[in-house]
Amino acid sequence: MAGLPYIVGNWKMNGTRAMLNEARAIDRAAARFPKVQVAVAPPATLLYRIRDAVELIGVGGQDCRAEDSGAFTGDISAPMLKDAGADFTIVGHSERRTLHSESDADVKAKGEAALSAGLAVILCVGETEAQRDAGDAEAVVAAQIEGSCPAVDGAPEKLSVAYEPVWAIGTGRVPSIEDVAAMHAAIRATLVAIYGEGGADVRILYGGSVKADNAGELLAVPEVGGALVGGASLSAESFLAIVGAAASLGND
């Protein structure tokens, strides 16, 4: 599946049992798009239910604890996600980094725990508006990748990196196509520097106000291997329009 565009819906803190209908609709429609890898990351309360309700799409967690178990009230470990049916987990989302003060070292430990539990990992990185305005965007993102990438054998094979400019998440603002291309090229170079030849195969997703009307243009950018979709993934109709845009690019 590594060569296929990867479209992942991050539902964040949204969804009750009623959302099972959206998951089922996405799953049924995925059969029409065999050249796109589709997945959703629901809240943990829905993970097992959605895994049980779908057949074709991937299902994952939105975060995990670095430790496998212990006195960490409210946290969820990677083995727990795996046991609930998860295929992957997101780590390092800007909302975790900001609202929960997660450091690069924290994110790296979570990614390594997830890989050890048999999960694939989507590692999120991205700069703030102030960092971009200061001309530091590429340096900031490279430093995040260097500090956050899991350092375990076989990591590149199960790792995706999601570039999400913090200032674009949920705002409707999107970087220029030129800026996205430059950042994804810089991310690729950083991954190759870290992992050698394996870094050339890590998928790089774009996230940040991805919608049906801009998905095709964003997904056509070199080194954009998919999308991490927020608000637009809460509706099967809007999410599948993005999946359809990926399919229309004619990837082999």
Side-chain angles (χ1 to χ4, degrees):
M1 304 292 278
L4 301 180
Y6 191 23
I7 309 299
V8 183
N10 178 14
W11 289 4
K12 305 189 181 184
M13 197 177 72
N14 298 287
T16 60
R17 283 179 295 174
M19 286 290 286
L20 289 173
N21 291 329
E22 301 298 325
R24 291 188 185 101
I26 293 168
D27 189 62
R28 288 194 300 269
R32 305 200 310 267
F33 305 109
K35 293 188 176 182
V36 181
Q37 186 177 355
V38 182
V40 295
T45 51
L46 289 180
L47 202 158
Y48 180 82
R49 288 178 179 271
I50 290 180
R51 176 73 284 165
D52 190 52
V54 303
E55 297 179 357
L56 299 176
I57 64 173
V59 182
Q62 298 176 12
D63 183 53
C64 70
R65 181 88 191 182
E67 294 82 2
D68 286 351
S69 61
F72 306 107
T73 301
D75 287 348
I76 298 172
S77 72
M80 289 174 177
L81 291 176
K82 183 70 173 178
D83 184 63
D87 308 302
F88 68 93
T89 188
I90 299 168
V91 298
H93 193 281
S94 64
E95 290 156 4
R96 298 291 310 181
R97 292 177 184 264
T98 300
L99 300 176
H100 296 267
S101 302
E102 292 184 3
S103 67
D104 290 339
D106 294 330
V107 175
K108 180 179 180 178
K110 290 182 176 192
E112 291 177 348
L115 291 173
S116 295
L119 298 171
V121 171
I122 298 175
L123 166 64
C124 297
V125 295
E127 82 283 359
T128 65
E129 185 173 29
Q131 290 165 335
R132 173 159 287 278
D133 289 346
D136 297 331
E138 290 185 14
V140 166
V141 170
Q144 286 179 340
I145 294 171
E146 290 165 356
S148 302
C149 270
V152 296
D153 290 343
E157 299 171 9
K158 301 194 73 174
L159 176 68
S160 299
V161 172
Y163 167 57
E164 294 195 304
V166 178
W167 49 272
I169 299 173
T171 66
R173 299 176 58 199
V174 180
S176 70
I177 293 302
E178 293 75 18
D179 286 341
V180 172
M183 182 61 80
H184 279 241
I187 291 172
R188 177 65 68 206
T190 304
L191 289 168
V192 170
I194 294 170
Y195 292 123
E197 292 182 2
D201 296 326
V202 175
R203 275 185 298 203
I204 308 172
L205 316 181
Y206 174 77
S209 295
V210 180
K211 298 180 175 62
D213 60 3
N214 62 20
E217 187 177 30
L218 288 165
L219 291 166
V221 174
E223 299 291 5
V224 175
L228 183 58
V229 184
S233 70
L234 297 176
S235 156
E237 181 179 5
S238 58
F239 186 57
L240 289 168
I242 296 169
V243 174
S248 70
L249 295 176
N251 293 276
D252 295 326

